[in-house]
């Protein structure tokens, strides 16, 4: 079954409800892989696994603290090239 990446919107580890809904939808078409970036990303792992993520990829780097898209896109691209 194919992996389905779900970008995790969180605030210092607190996962927002739409992310949990996306994990449910992702399970319908493949194996949900959650990608959490930024401060507190590691703190999201338990909640995401509880809601169906088969893998949780986290990274906390200073460039994620800014509202720039490029570092987040680079992180997502590198997570897809691993498999």
């Amino acid at each position: 079954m194919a992996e389905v990446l779900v970008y995790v919107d969180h605030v210092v580890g607190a996962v927002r409800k739409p992310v949990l809904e996306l994990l449910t939808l992702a399970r319908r078409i493949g194996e949900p892989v959650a990608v959490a970036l930024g401060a507190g990303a590691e703190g999201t792992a338990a909640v995401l696994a509880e809601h169906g993520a088969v893998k949780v990829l986290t990274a906390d780097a200073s460039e994620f603290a800014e509202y720039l898209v490029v570092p987040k896109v680079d992180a997502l691209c590198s997570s897809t090239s691993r498999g």
Side-chain angles (χ1 to χ4, degrees):
M1 194 174 277
E3 291 183 338
V4 180
L5 289 180
V6 176
Y7 177 75
V8 177
D9 186 19
H10 70 96
V11 177
V12 193
V15 179
R16 296 175 187 259
K17 185 178 178 181
V19 171
L20 305 178
E21 294 169 359
L22 286 173
L23 286 172
T24 299
L25 293 171
R27 277 197 314 262
R28 293 181 184 174
I29 59 174
E31 296 180 338
V33 176
V35 180
L37 306 172
E42 289 182 10
T44 65
V47 171
L48 297 170
E50 184 178 304
H51 285 85
V54 295
K55 272 194 246 181
V56 179
L57 307 174
T58 63
D60 183 4
S62 60
E63 51 268 10
F64 298 135
E66 300 173 19
Y67 291 100
L68 299 176
V69 174
V70 174
K72 294 173 183 171
V73 170
D74 289 343
L76 287 171
C77 287
S78 72
S79 68
T80 60
S81 64
R82 291 180 196 176

